[in-house]
Amino acid sequence: MAKFRKLRQFLTKNERNKVFLRKNKPSARIVADSKLKTKKILAKSGINVPCLITKFSRQGDLDQFDWRKLEGNFVIKPASGYAGEGIIIIRKRGKYADEWVGMDGSVITTGDLIRHCREILGGKYSLYNMPDEVIVEERIKIHPMFLSITKSGTPDIRVIVYNQVPVMAMLRIPTEKSGSRSNLQQGAIGLGIDLATGITTFGIEGKGDIIRKIYDWGKKKMRKVNGIKIPLWREILETAVKCQKAVPGLGFLGVDVVLDKEKGPCVLELNARPGLSIQICNRAGLKARLDKVEEIDVRSINHGITLAKYLFGEKFFEQVEAKEQVKTVGPLETIKIKVSSLLSLDERLKVLVTKKGKHRVVEVKAKVDTGAFRSSIDRTLAADLGLLTPEKILYYRHYRSALGKNLDRPVIGLTFWLKDRKIVTAVNVADRRKLRTKFLLGRKDLEGFLIKTENN
Amino acid sequence: MNPMLILLPVVATLVSFLHYFIGLTGYGIFMPTMMAVTFLSMGVLEGLVLFGLILVISLVSNAILKKFRLHFWPARAINLAFIGIGVSSLSDWVYRQYSLNLSNIYGVMIMILLVEEFVHTQLVKSKGEAKRLILGTLVLAIIGAEVMSIAGIQNWVLAHPYLTILLIVIANIIIGNYRGMRLIEIGRFGKAIRR
């Protein structure tokens, strides 16, 4: 019985069709069904879309077009195409006139392109074989982050937006089996994404086969499906919500966002009938999430994204956030310096030794000094910690101290923890015998910290 | 009254029940219904043989026609010619060999429609999806035909045509308002429950 109660969180096909697809008005659905109209409206609202080079609505347009104008890096696709069919991607000009090179290196002639356009116009790739238009647009340059997870096609991110809140997202990875298309229906891979952090969680292949590993083309071995961090995550969510603002008639909307190397998030198409498999790769129900945001009066894009973050974020979200947060340090801080486990310390220092995880550390008071570049450690302390042996010294450097003394100071490698953040660095060794703090924190090791001069 | 005319909505109701409650899917509702009625009138085995014949001829002729790079409609017309010749010559042979009667022009026409849907889906969606849908259509049609061929049901429907219509309307209102889970979705989403 418990299982049945848990099943209730999922959005069923019947309910999607009966309740949620009715939130999409017919006039808005026409926009979503035509890539050309979508592109026009989104561009007007300031959303990134691949640039339109030209379109053919009639045979005549096609005859008049001068293909020699094109430099390469373009895509030919049907305006009302379905599931990524009928798309030809051209990378560059071929060796000879009227020849082009596709993404897999195959040679395509201009004649082939014209014939393909004619087939699109005739309705070969549209639903019900209705006459269609041809779009010629700029090619999306795949974000380097995604190069390692796919060999064919461009991965995209599907975000479902409801009531101006992103409610669920997945990364869709085209495979050879899916014919370079990123539709799960065609056999592509889908990875659920945590809305708060943009980190992948679970995976499926096709419409329902659960997978735990995918192939990493960069490292040439299998890797886990979870833990891939999507770059520009916040911008992606913002783009998705903006799309719903641009086409308000689409109440229950799936936005397909791709990441361009130069332009960042770009919207390829809007989907007025988003699929339900996204629930399986997120291992979470859409129904429960849609119900949660139903009644909320969302005031801004920011509000919508914050809601998504706190309502639907995974458990690991707080750990990730804590890690990324800017930490504050005061003028005087206690740092923990790592001590080699082989070293035997004298009694005086043993008192100071504590444990941090599996490491032995010594707590030392340090003074923050942003005027200094490199941190420095007291000579006696460094010697006591066994850091001044000749093999530990990296090099000598000439320093001019504040008192005008010119000295050559040894620079040594050191690992320490400041506010629980591990810092591996090189510090110079100075004579700080007469000073109260035996360690000086330079600005090189304070990267990512905020300094607060007032302690409260 | 033609008994088939009353049986048609009964089959359609059955098909829609199987779709919305169980999760079987085919090419829309009319394709499986038409196929069920075709199977009912010419026999399930004969129907399947005829369908297989048309499918094979179509696939072979498409593979050949692809090489000629013709416009879409002329290619379809030639395809029809192949089907016409193939079915008429082979159905005689099948009749002589296995005494299966395949000569049913309406059956042939509906099956051509189905095969065309199959070819189109293969093109615009995917091969897997096309196979899934065609299998679904055949399964729905066979279930429909088998249920309708139960003599008791046929007799009852013919004896109470108006009551049947009323029951069909009521049943479809209930099916039409069902929002819950389809039987196959329990398995599908069951995998997605976190432990």
Side-chain angles (χ1 to χ4, degrees):
Chain A
M1 269 338 270
K3 189 185 171 190
F4 279 96
R5 204 164 311 126
K6 278 184 181 163
L7 275 172
R8 253 187 250 158
Q9 62 175 307
F10 294 102
L11 181 64
T12 64
K13 217 170 197 172
N14 287 338
E15 190 163 13
R16 178 194 72 175
N17 295 353
K18 254 192 99 57
V19 183
F20 291 97
L21 293 190
R22 298 216 171 140
K23 314 251 176 195
N24 295 337
K25 301 204 180 87
S27 58
R29 243 185 260 181
I30 292 171
V31 174
D33 285 343
S34 160
K35 292 196 181 95
L36 212 54
K37 288 189 179 121
T38 306
K39 191 191 278 289
K40 240 181 240 165
I41 291 186
L42 294 188
K44 216 188 243 173
S45 314
I47 297 162
N48 261 343
V49 287
C51 278
L52 184 70
I53 296 169
T54 186
K55 63 162 184 168
F56 307 125
S57 314
R58 270 161 291 131
Q59 189 72 45
D61 302 346
L62 189 55
D63 298 336
Q64 277 163 22
F65 186 69
D66 182 11
W67 290 89
R68 279 168 297 179
K69 273 197 309 204
L70 296 177
E71 291 288 336
N73 272 331
F74 63 90
V75 180
I76 297 177
K77 53 166 100 167
S80 314
Y82 189 89
E85 263 297 348
I87 294 178
I88 289 187
I89 305 173
I90 299 292
R91 198 161 49 131
K92 58 179 186 193
R93 278 186 181 162
K95 207 169 159 191
Y96 304 104
D98 285 337
E99 270 188 5
W100 303 94
V101 180
M103 290 308 282
D104 51 356
S106 59
V107 173
I108 304 159
T109 65
T110 305
D112 289 334
L113 294 183
I114 292 174
R115 193 171 314 107
H116 183 74
C117 291
R118 247 187 233 139
E119 282 177 343
I120 294 175
L121 286 173
K124 187 172 174 187
Y125 300 104
S126 68
L127 276 179
Y128 314 117
N129 289 334
M130 295 284 282
D132 198 4
E133 291 179 302
V134 185
I135 295 179
V136 182
E137 69 180 16
E138 219 178 52
R139 176 171 79 89
I140 292 284
K141 294 185 193 84
I142 184 168
H143 194 280
M145 160 76 213
F146 293 136
L147 284 176
S148 68
I149 51 173
T150 180
K151 256 280 176 276
S152 45
T154 315
D156 67 8
I157 295 131
R158 157 70 58 87
V159 185
I160 293 189
V161 188
Y162 183 66
N163 190 23
Q164 305 200 15
V165 180
V167 285
M168 210 174 263
M170 69 169 160
L171 174 66
R172 307 190 303 173
I173 306 169
T175 57
E176 242 148 58
K177 218 164 79 189
S178 76
S180 307
R181 290 163 297 188
S182 53
N183 300 72
L184 293 192
Q185 215 179 47
Q186 319 262 26
I189 289 172
L191 306 186
I193 308 176
D194 169 40
L195 282 170
T197 55
I199 293 173
T200 57
T201 51
F202 304 97
I204 52 167
E205 185 168 3
K207 292 194 87 167
D209 300 328
I210 287 180
I211 52 168
R212 294 181 205 286
K213 300 225 160 148
I214 54 170
Y215 192 73
D216 186 323
W217 293 91
K219 293 197 177 117
K220 301 240 184 294
K221 61 177 185 189
M222 300 302 278
R223 63 154 297 158
K224 284 188 199 153
V225 293
N226 57 316
I228 300 173
K229 191 166 176 13
I230 315 279
L232 300 172
W233 182 240
R234 206 189 153 79
E235 285 82 352
I236 291 172
L237 292 182
E238 274 172 15
T239 309
V241 178
K242 271 188 203 160
C243 286
Q244 193 167 54
K245 283 205 167 229
V247 194
L250 292 172
F252 179 63
L253 168 69
V255 182
D256 295 344
V257 186
V258 285
L259 276 184
D260 185 88
K261 201 157 75 179
E262 289 140 25
K263 295 206 292 189
C266 265
V267 177
L268 276 193
E269 67 183 297
L270 300 181
N271 201 318
R273 294 173 59 88
L276 298 172
S277 304
I278 191 171
Q279 302 178 101
I280 301 168
C281 60
N282 274 290
R283 304 239 180 129
L286 255 181
K287 171 77 173 116
R289 293 192 176 188
L290 294 170
D291 285 346
K292 268 186 196 156
V293 299
E294 176 86 61
E295 296 289 313
I296 301 173
D297 174 30
V298 180
R299 297 183 297 271
S300 65
I301 293 177
N302 215 346
H303 187 197
I305 293 172
T306 311
L307 277 173
K309 196 169 177 175
Y310 288 101
L311 286 176
F312 312 130
E314 297 281 348
K315 278 191 198 125
F316 60 75
F317 143 54
E318 274 162 20
Q319 295 164 22
V320 174
E321 190 172 62
K323 231 183 218 168
E324 285 178 354
Q325 223 173 30
V326 177
K327 288 187 175 171
T328 318
V329 292
L332 287 174
E333 284 293 341
T334 307
I335 62 165
K336 293 173 175 168
I337 298 174
K338 187 176 159 190
V339 189
S340 161
S341 51
L342 301 169
L343 187 76
S344 54
L345 297 162
D346 62 43
E347 290 303 316
R348 192 163 43 84
L349 271 165
K350 249 183 196 158
V351 199
L352 299 169
V353 170
T354 49
K355 284 251 169 191
K356 171 152 183 69
K358 54 184 183 212
H359 304 294
R360 263 203 315 181
V361 294
V362 171
E363 287 193 7
V364 176
K365 213 158 209 181
K367 183 172 134 189
V368 170
D369 180 3
T370 55
F373 174 68
R374 207 178 280 284
S375 302
S376 57
I377 187 170
D378 177 48
R379 186 180 296 274
T380 327
L381 179 66
D384 284 350
L385 294 176
L387 295 167
L388 265 188
T389 50
E391 69 272 14
K392 291 262 163 86
I393 295 170
L394 301 172
Y395 54 87
Y396 284 87
R397 189 171 186 87
H398 188 76
Y399 278 89
R400 177 173 291 174
S401 84
L403 296 172
K405 285 184 193 163
N406 292 332
L407 288 164
D408 268 352
R409 292 183 186 172
V411 175
I412 56 172
L414 189 71
T415 303
F416 66 89
W417 282 265
L418 172 61
K419 290 270 176 186
D420 282 335
R421 187 179 287 178
K422 187 181 181 185
I423 297 165
V424 181
T425 184
V427 302
N428 66 54
V429 181
D431 188 3
R432 299 179 68 84
R433 251 178 317 177
K434 290 171 187 160
L435 301 170
R436 262 178 305 176
T437 53
K438 303 295 176 207
F439 197 93
L440 183 106
L441 272 169
R443 63 175 178 275
K444 177 179 180 286
D445 300 330
L446 288 168
E447 228 177 76
F449 287 98
L450 265 181
I451 298 160
K452 200 173 179 189
T453 52
E454 188 185 327
N455 268 328
N456 48 7
Chain B
M1 195 186 282
N2 188 341
M4 281 297 174
L5 274 183
I6 298 289
L7 280 179
L8 204 61
V10 176
V11 176
T13 308
L14 186 66
V15 168
S16 77
F17 171 80
L18 291 173
H19 179 62
Y20 289 102
F21 279 78
I22 309 296
L24 292 179
T25 297
Y27 286 105
I29 174 167
F30 293 112
M31 239 353 140
T33 309
M34 304 289 180
M35 284 294 281
V37 175
T38 312
F39 282 169
L40 197 56
S41 72
M42 66 186 292
V44 171
L45 184 61
E46 285 88 346
L48 284 177
V49 171
L50 180 60
F51 175 74
L53 211 59
I54 295 176
L55 184 66
V56 169
I57 296 174
S58 244
L59 291 182
V60 171
S61 84
N62 280 344
I64 297 169
L65 288 171
K66 211 175 171 183
K67 299 217 169 91
F68 291 92
R69 292 176 162 172
L70 297 173
H71 278 304
F72 191 55
W73 289 4
R76 311 284 12 110
I78 294 177
N79 185 33
L80 274 185
F82 283 151
I83 291 174
I85 295 207
V87 169
S88 55
S89 54
L90 281 171
S91 65
D92 283 346
W93 178 76
V94 169
Y95 186 69
R96 268 182 272 122
Q97 286 281 315
Y98 305 99
S99 63
L100 289 175
N101 186 8
L102 301 185
S103 56
N104 180 328
I105 179 64
Y106 299 107
V108 171
M109 272 158 58
I110 285 168
M111 283 172 192
I112 288 175
L113 279 181
L114 183 57
V115 169
E116 282 300 295
E117 284 277 355
F118 174 73
V119 171
H120 189 237
T121 317
Q122 246 188 349
L123 201 69
V124 302
K125 290 192 180 174
S126 70
K127 285 195 173 141
E129 178 80 358
K131 269 183 216 144
R132 210 170 59 83
L133 285 177
I134 204 125
L135 273 180
T137 306
L138 291 178
V139 168
L140 282 171
I142 292 170
I143 294 175
E146 289 296 338
V147 170
M148 285 310 117
S149 61
I150 298 169
I153 292 183
Q154 274 193 20
N155 293 337
W156 192 89
V157 166
L158 288 177
H160 314 277
Y162 298 106
L163 189 56
T164 305
I165 303 250
L166 183 69
L167 286 179
I168 285 172
V169 171
I170 292 172
N172 278 305
I173 287 175
I174 294 170
I175 297 170
N177 277 305
Y178 179 64
R179 281 192 206 174
M181 211 154 258
R182 298 174 186 177
L183 195 64
I184 58 162
E185 281 181 328
I186 293 180
R188 190 173 168 214
F189 292 138
K191 277 188 285 188
I193 293 177
R194 295 194 192 189
R195 310 209 190 284

